[in-house]
Amino acid sequence: MSVSVRIPTILRTYTGGDSEVSATGGTLAEVLDDLDASYAGIKGRIIDEAGQLRRFVNVYVGSEDVRFLDNLETATPDGTQISVIPAVAGGC
C-alpha cells in the first residue's frame, strides 16, 4: 500500500528537505520501516528505544491520532496521508 507521509521541518534533514514523501506498508510500523529504508535514521526520531512512539511526537493516519487507534499497528490503506507532528511545548 502506497501512502504519503508529511514530514515536519525538524526531520526534513533526513528527506533532503522534502516536506512530503511516499512510503509503503499495510500498518504504520511497516510504513516507518520503509521510510527508514529510504531515509536512514528517521525512524529513530519517531520511535524510542522501547519501540514505541516518542512521547513528544504525534502521528496521524488520515485525521486520526494513532494513539487512539491501534498505535503502530494502525492500518494504512492505500492512498492514506500520514502526518508526523512534533508536540509543541513551552511557556514562561
Side-chain angles (χ1 to χ4, degrees), residues 8-83:
T9 303
I10 196 165
L11 296 181
R12 291 181 191 163
T13 55
Y14 293 93
T15 62
D18 290 342
S19 62
E20 189 167 316
V21 298
S22 295
T24 59
T27 65
L28 178 59
E30 292 172 357
V31 167
L32 292 176
D33 286 341
D34 186 61
L35 197 63
D36 200 61
S38 299
Y39 308 102
I42 196 168
K43 181 179 171 184
R45 299 294 306 269
I46 300 169
I47 303 293
D48 66 17
E49 296 75 19
Q52 301 299 313
L53 288 174
R54 291 191 177 278
R55 184 174 174 196
F56 297 109
V57 175
N58 298 309
V59 179
Y60 290 81
V61 172
S63 60
E64 300 293 326
D65 186 337
V66 299
R67 287 190 170 97
F68 298 103
L69 298 174
D70 293 324
N71 220 328
L72 292 171
E73 295 307 313
T74 299
T76 54
D78 195 39
T80 298
Q81 183 167 61
I82 297 172
S83 300

